[in-house]
Amino acid sequence: MTTLPLHNPATGALIAHLPADDAASVAAKTAAARAAQPAWAALPMAQRKACIEKFRAGVVRELDALARVMTEETGKPIRMSRNELNGLLPRIDFFLAQVEASIARETVLTEGGMTEEIEHAPLGVVANISAWNYPWFVGCNVILPALLTGNAVLYKPSEYAARTGQAIARLLHEAGVPQAVMACLIGGGEVGQALLAQRVDGVFFTGSHATGLRIARAVGDRFIKLQLELGGKDPTYVCDDADPKAAAESLADGAMYNTGQSCCSVERIYVHEKIHDAFVAHFVETVRGYRMGDPLSEDTYIGAITRAPQLQVLQAQVDDALTQGGKLLLGGKAGPGPGNWFEPTVFSHVDHRMDLMREESFGPVIGIQKVSDDDEAVRLMNDTRYGLTAGVYTPDGERARRLLAQVHAGSVYWNCCDRVSPRLPWSGVGDSGVGLTLSTHGIATFTRPKAWHLRQP
Ligand code: NDP
């Protein structure tokens, strides 16, 4: 049998060899899901909701152990692992509270003997290929509304969060979701490819732009629903009237939380020249206070880099910025092994010739650029192929709204950052992807509107 080796990124130690899927088992699970989905969709909504409520209770019951599993396999600081699991609970509550209204059958015409209705029918069997950085969030954003709306799910967690993926599936099975309706596929990219070769009715992907492109090409000629939640190069502008200390503390957290490995991490900061130096001083001071170390320790803020190859990406961005005149204020190199470590790194005097300001860093590395006015800030914020989030810090709400209206991004923030709400759609523009999760729209996205034309005889 094929196995998947799983390593602790903080120590390099082997955690486990997990039994892995192969093309034959992926095909068998797909066939089983196809056969089981109609009965699942035919259940009363209350029964499907009851399963998800039990799943929620399982997460609460096992929260500490689940957090530990996630920290061991991803290197995420333990407090942040618990935060993710605690943050999942209101998302589950939102899905449970909103699912019926989101997909309620609509009567849009009753005239004479004619009735027109819109049914929100489940897509059928959907594939969910998922990232490791927030495995509970990105996994459950798809799995839970997909199941609630009557779909079967074939879930391929990242190989870097495979035990978390197994835990999500186990808790759903224990809560009453049939094995065939919720299948977990263990393995690397080749298992994802094997899944894409199956006859599925929708593909929901969270991950890098490069893999998203491969996935779009793999399913492009099949006209099935495709959602891609990809990376970003998320900018924030700090205006001249902002409090430099408060903005610096907030944005340092936005850039470095989860060791910078968030899709909506702050990746570029533009600061008005009037407060630039004060902002930079507070920013560096804040980041200097972040403790890097054992992810299982309660006072660790900077954990391990989950994927070892990312260390080279980060080092190359640092070297490129240094070569082109960037001023290194903090960090700038990998930390000592064993394991994958990179020092929190802050640059000023950066510009858009540098990869640091153009390509996703996905690590604890940030560039701060001085700007002279709002127009320059907006131009630079929009000078990107990505468009996931963008923010503005200013006490002036009108100014913030005016600026944010000009920025191309799926989510915009005023005086906050690195924030996701279950009530709001989560989406990107440009190379940050297509489609959306969360909000009532992100529930209905697992259905297709079916038109009913009904004439009384
Ligand atoms: P990857 O693109 O490397 O992997 C994502 C998933 O795709 C994994 O399960 C991976 O498997 C799988 N995969 C890899 N190759 C293939 C293939 N050829 N066919 C099918 N599946 C494949 O991304 P990461 O997991 O490293 O995640 C980091 C990225 O995700 C960042 O760019 C980040 O910005 C983005 N992201 C976006 C979010 C959003 O909401 N917009 C949220 C979270 C992350 P395996 O891991 O086993 O190789």
Side-chain angles (χ1 to χ4, degrees), residues 262-337:
S262 307
C263 52
C264 52
S265 285
V266 175
E267 289 246 345
R268 301 178 277 152
I269 302 176
Y270 305 98
V271 185
H272 195 281
E273 59 193 8
K274 272 194 197 155
I275 62 162
H276 174 269
D277 293 356
F279 175 89
V280 168
H282 288 302
F283 193 94
V284 169
E285 190 190 332
T286 305
V287 175
R288 215 188 283 282
Y290 292 156
R291 190 178 168 282
M292 180 165 94
D294 179 3
L296 284 169
S297 165
E298 290 294 331
D299 55 0
T300 289
Y301 183 92
I302 300 285
I305 299 297
T306 307
R307 293 174 63 255
Q310 198 63 18
L311 294 174
Q312 278 85 56
V313 173
L314 297 173
Q315 194 63 61
Q317 288 196 353
V318 166
D319 294 346
D320 172 65
L322 283 172
T323 309
Q324 305 214 51
K327 187 169 167 193
L328 180 63
L329 303 173
L330 204 63
K333 60 181 192 312

Side-chain angles (χ1 to χ4, degrees), residues 130 132-133 156 158-159 188 207-208 211 229-231 263 360 426:
S130 196
W132 48 262
N133 61 333
K156 211 295 275 175
S158 166
E159 64 187 286
S208 63
T211 310
E229 301 208 336
L230 310 177
C263 52
E360 189 177 44
W426 186 249

Side-chain angles (χ1 to χ4, degrees), residues 4 129-134 138 141 156-161 187-194 196 205-212 214-215 228-232 261-264 307 360 362 388 426-428 432 437:
L4 176 74
I129 300 178
S130 196
W132 48 262
N133 61 333
Y134 283 93
V138 296
N141 286 353
K156 211 295 275 175
S158 166
E159 64 187 286
Y160 301 97
E190 71 291 346
V191 172
Q193 281 174 313
L196 296 172
F205 171 77
T206 310
S208 63
H209 173 261
T211 310
R214 267 182 235 124
I215 286 176
L228 303 169
E229 301 208 336
L230 310 177
Q261 300 174 113
S262 307
C263 52
C264 52
R307 293 174 63 255
E360 189 177 44
F362 218 59
L388 194 58
W426 186 249
S427 68
S432 291
T437 50

Side-chain angles (χ1 to χ4, degrees), residues 99-116:
V99 62
E100 274 133 329
S102 305
I103 60 163
R105 199 176 180 106
E106 299 163 67
T107 301
V108 291
L109 178 82
T110 322
E111 200 175 79
M114 194 72 202
T115 301
E116 294 176 359

